[in-house]
Amino acid sequence: MTQQITIGLLMYPGAQLSAVYGLIDLFLSTNRIAMEHTPRTVEPLLVSRWQINPNSKRVEVIDGNGPRQLTVVIIPPNLESRGTDEPDAVLLDWLKAQHEGGAVVCSICTAAFVLARTGLLNGRPATTHWALKDVLATQFPEVYVQTDQMVIEDGDIITAGGVTAWIDLGLKLIDRFLGPSVMLAVAQFFLIDPNGREQRFYSKFAPQFYHGDEAILRVQHWLQTHYSEAIAIADMTAVASLGERTFLRRFKKATGMKPIEYLQALRVGKAREMLEFSQTSFSEIAWKVGYEDQGAFRKVFVRLVGLQPGEYRRRFSVRAMAG
């Protein structure tokens, strides 16, 4: 007889119900599939929901009989949150107590902000939605924010990135507790790609313009219309009317990127648009965004996006979406 795995889903104001009930459906179906696919006796995953009882001011189970100490705690996202909400201290204390008792604590998307407020992410790698990377990194500088990945499994802490990353997290937990064969069978039943996704497949380059440095903003606006030209640092410093060392320092401070990194990201963003909305060949796209060497641009594209241009077009072009 294997150990009973108990999974608690934490309900709190604004919690995304589609993630909560989607995970419940996923785990309940997993129990049935596990019984069918494993010859040994399998303890079913025991799933429960938890929330603060307004009368007792304690976090308590709200459906069924949940154990006081859980194997896994999952914090669902809040689609209305931008990381500024202050969770109830009772909730944060309960999360820390569950972790201290041996629970694997998991967050999805914006729930990384809730988890970060417990201090459990300090010194740890973590992910959240790619659009909130800078917000999380600024609010919690002791967290190593890495939003390229959809799921970061760091032993007793697991963070998942996108709004629908509850699917990836669910498969990760099934793999951990019931094994890869059950996980693959569940993925097949739900028509989910079990090979994993990365957020960088989906995240678009969104440069920061609200930094207050007029000279750097002038360069950014210039780059938006001149990105396809042969551009050197000297061209940018001329637009900014700054010396090179001052320009490099201020550009990195304002945008979070080096000028060449920024230009590469801008060009890759333009290339992604062309791959999505046209049938233009990649060699022509490379030329249109300012690269004479198609091979060099391909390497940059794969490094930033994580997919070959052809694969990106197959996944994300308008035709692919329509098909």
Side-chain angles (χ1 to χ4, degrees), residues 130-131 134 203-209 220 224 255 257 262 265:
W130 62 266
D134 292 340
S203 63
K204 296 297 179 71
F205 178 52
Q208 173 62 262
F209 294 111
Q220 290 177 274
Q224 288 294 137
T255 68
M257 307 174 76
Y262 185 98

Side-chain angles (χ1 to χ4, degrees), residues 72-274:
V72 178
V73 176
I74 300 176
I75 316 170
N78 179 349
L79 297 185
E80 301 301 319
S81 173
R82 296 287 298 179
T84 58
D85 303 334
E86 286 288 346
D88 194 302
V90 172
L91 184 150
L92 299 180
D93 289 341
W94 182 79
L95 286 171
K96 288 187 283 187
Q98 288 292 322
H99 181 260
E100 290 171 2
V104 177
V105 182
C106 312
S107 68
I108 305 169
C109 194
T110 55
F113 288 86
V114 177
L115 188 52
R117 284 185 169 86
T118 66
L120 296 177
L121 288 182
N122 289 351
R124 300 271 201 136
T127 189
T128 185
H129 193 285
W130 62 266
L132 297 175
K133 175 182 179 180
D134 292 340
V135 181
L136 183 63
T138 300
Q139 287 191 28
F140 303 98
E142 295 184 27
V143 179
Y144 303 136
V145 183
Q146 303 171 6
T147 55
D148 280 353
Q149 296 172 258
M150 192 68 77
V151 177
I152 293 180
E153 185 175 10
D154 191 36
D156 53 347
I157 299 287
I158 304 177
T159 54
V163 175
T164 61
W166 61 266
I167 299 170
D168 306 81
L169 174 64
L171 292 179
K172 181 73 69 175
L173 292 171
I174 294 166
D175 186 24
R176 175 185 282 207
F177 294 112
L178 298 178
S181 61
V182 173
M183 183 274 288
L184 289 171
V186 172
Q188 184 179 34
F189 177 76
F190 281 92
L191 302 180
I192 302 170
D193 181 359
N195 294 320
R197 301 176 290 170
E198 294 184 31
Q199 287 205 79
R200 58 180 174 164
F201 298 169
Y202 308 90
S203 63
K204 296 297 179 71
F205 178 52
Q208 173 62 262
F209 294 111
Y210 306 104
H211 45 66
D213 191 324
E214 293 184 5
I216 301 306
L217 181 59
R218 193 160 58 247
V219 175
Q220 290 177 274
H221 287 163
W222 181 79
L223 287 173
Q224 288 294 137
T225 56
H226 293 80
Y227 65 87
S228 62
E229 301 173 9
I231 296 173
I233 294 294
D235 300 313
M236 298 187 221
T237 59
V239 174
S241 299
L242 296 171
E244 182 173 329
R245 292 183 62 182
T246 301
F247 168 73
L248 293 174
R249 175 178 54 80
R250 285 171 57 174
F251 193 96
K252 179 67 180 293
K253 181 181 179 181
T255 68
M257 307 174 76
K258 297 177 181 178
I260 296 304
E261 294 172 339
Y262 185 98
L263 180 58
Q264 288 177 338
L266 179 58
R267 286 170 166 170
V268 166
K270 298 294 183 181
R272 289 172 71 157
E273 292 176 7
M274 292 184 219

Side-chain angles (χ1 to χ4, degrees), residues 9-27 47-51 62-63 74-81 108-111 163-167:
L9 295 160
L10 185 58
M11 307 293 289
Y12 62 98
Q16 182 189 352
L17 297 182
S18 61
V20 173
Y21 293 112
L23 282 166
I24 291 174
D25 288 342
L26 183 70
F27 292 137
V47 185
S48 54
R49 294 179 300 149
W50 298 70
Q51 69 178 18
I62 59 176
D63 48 6
I74 300 176
I75 316 170
N78 179 349
L79 297 185
E80 301 301 319
S81 173
I108 305 169
C109 194
T110 55
V163 175
T164 61
W166 61 266
I167 299 170

